[in-house]
Amino acid sequence: MRQNPSPLKWARQHKWLMAPLLSLALTACGEGAQRSWGGEDDVSLASEASLSSVRVRLMAANISSGNYQSYDPGHGIRIFQGTTPDVVMIQEFNYGDNSTSAIRQFVDTAFGPSFYYYREDGAQIPNGVISRWPILDSGKWEDPESPNREFAWARIDVPGSKDLWAVSVHLLTRDSPTRNTEAASLVQYIQANVPAGDYLAIAGDFNTDNFSEPCFSTFNQVVTTSGPHPADQNGVTGTNASRAKPYDQVLVDADLRAYQTITVIGGSSYPSGLVVDTRVYTPLSEIYPAEYGDSAASNMQHMAVIKDFLIPGDSSTDGGTDPVPDAGTGTDAGTGTDAGTGTDAGTGTDAGTGTDAGTGTDAGTGTDAGTGTAQIIINEVLANEPGSDPTGEFVELVNVSSEGVDLSGWTVTDGSGTRHTFASGTSLSAGAALAVFGGASGIPAGLTNAVAASTGALGFGNSGDTVSVKDAFGVTVDSVTYSSSLSGTDGVSMNLSPDAVAGGTFVLHTTLSSLTSSPGKRVDGSDFGSGGGTDGGTGGGTDGGTGGGSDGGTTPVEVITAESEYNDTASTANARVGQNVDVSGAISTSSDNDWFLFEVDSASTITVRLTMSSGADLDWYLYSASNTSSYLKRGYTTSNPEQGSYAAAAGTYYLRVVGYAGSTDSYTLNISGTGVRP
């Protein structure tokens, strides 16, 4: 039998015994409808704290695509970034050289520096668990049939009165009886070790041909295995590469199953959970930076599977997604967690919440450890050089984060292979740019933040190509695929719009300014601020810019009072929202997203208020210009108005309005704060 909870756990549970019952009673009376919100930066109402729920997104993920079953190529990383899971039961947990620092880098990149992880040791294709919340204990149970991996488990301190036991499995492909033997062994471990009062999730790669396999009946002793099952937007539940078989599952016990809720991503909703297939997902912008071809990568044999849950929170927290562990220890002392499964004390800020790129932070100093993630973007590409001198081709990289980045060993590639490898000691300061030219003779006179391609040429295609920048481990950091419409005119480059803003759209440079190109400089020819790039080899590489930091984007002058379409992406955001100026708008369809841009001139607390005309359920998300894929704060309750505050540094920000589960309504948006630009 599964163990009964300890007296301490029992007491902790009974503190919350009446919360779900009271919530149901209020709902029956037509009052108190609630949805979850995230961490300390999410909107919460003190009067509702005792009934608060916390959204927990669980994922099964065997989405490696590299040689030797690794995540090095970056396809799986982009899927993680775009779908923002809270707890991942991951398979084939290999990255780089599999050192502690390499695995930590993978977790930081895919999820954020405040996430925790456990990875089984001594396995060829290890299982593991990655969590937004502290891992209190972890380890592995022996898989009696598998020679190269075990059952990896972690006990997680999720918000509320119960812990979550997450078990990552990778059953053998051999045959159905073998998988049932593995299932029976795991069930015995669970019954002997997991308290009956805690939540349980078994997830991963089951390699099952159908739902009639006996292993599902065996697992049904400890988790529920009945449908309905997660599906993609077309209703297909298969999770192997051909989408014909249910290889991958997220199975939970009855007490957690009771809290399952609709999975909502952007304007899309999935009643039973989501099978993530980038080949069919639309609009793909909802899971940015995931790309269409990620699920089609040559070595990716599985689709990720997601289920969402609304679990009772804890009245002592504001929603529970603050990943800093109790007592601020940062790691779990002596609980058997593998080295590196925690983050240092104080790194509880979500990835992307650091100081906005280009606000004048000195090169290399960054912000407090763990409060931001370095982000290098491709901002400009000239594939069709002026005249016939290919040394004039270039690609411009911009650091839109708040931290200096070591580019040693990073590469620039196109469809034909590696074109440039950055020399050891090359770095790029926060808010700065660095251009790579086809040859030294192509670098314009006086341009110091530029280097020549290490291979002697770039050779970008004039009729179309894919240009990528990859880190020292070969993981794609940013990539642009273009057609001849952007490379068909001699001497005219393609540039992000808005300039130097992640998630923008590439357009011809001449549509943004009178210049045909601006290598190493802003689209209008002005210098990027905050120092520059330092080249570890020859050819200069130090930006002459001395400005105190630019805002990482354009600075529109006009203040708007009404939304105008098309504004469904950050790159087409309505600009700009002025201090305490009401802006009217409407979410007119279930897939509509309204993006707005505003400026904060000095650090201050800003307040976002979204008032719905007919009381429908609309939400808002706040982003920095340096990272429009990870929100800083959100208004995510059923309140009207939907209101919340955020301590903002100076910089450029985006605000996205979306309907929850397809809701539509007209609204009034107001952003106030002493530092918001009037």
Side-chain angles (χ1 to χ4, degrees), residues 11-29:
R12 193 174 165 208
Q13 291 167 345
H14 279 67
K15 177 178 69 173
W16 279 95
L17 184 60
M18 296 306 295
L21 298 176
L22 183 55
S23 178
L24 288 171
L26 288 174
T27 303
C29 295

Side-chain angles (χ1 to χ4, degrees), residues 332-415:
D332 64 295
T335 60
T337 302
D338 189 16
T341 60
T343 52
D344 293 336
T347 59
T349 306
D350 288 342
T353 60
T355 304
D356 189 46
T359 56
T361 306
D362 292 336
T365 60
T367 55
D368 292 340
T371 59
T373 300
Q375 190 177 13
I376 302 296
I377 64 170
I378 297 173
N379 187 53
E380 185 179 1
V381 178
L382 177 59
N384 193 343
E385 71 283 353
S388 58
D389 183 2
T391 63
E393 293 184 12
F394 70 84
V395 57
E396 177 189 81
L397 309 182
V398 178
N399 182 355
V400 295
S401 78
S402 58
E403 306 168 350
V405 178
D406 181 4
L407 299 181
S408 301
W410 288 40
T411 59
V412 174
T413 68
D414 73 345

Side-chain angles (χ1 to χ4, degrees), residues 50-76:
S50 63
L51 296 177
S52 65
S53 295
V54 178
R55 184 176 297 272
V56 177
R57 175 163 294 170
L58 303 184
M59 174 185 277
N62 186 1
I63 52 175
S64 64
S65 60
N67 295 330
Y68 310 108
Q69 296 162 299
S70 75
Y71 287 83
D72 291 5
H75 306 99

Side-chain angles (χ1 to χ4, degrees), residues 41-53:
D41 286 334
D42 288 337
V43 179
S44 60
L45 301 177
S47 62
E48 297 175 311
S50 63
L51 296 177
S52 65
S53 295

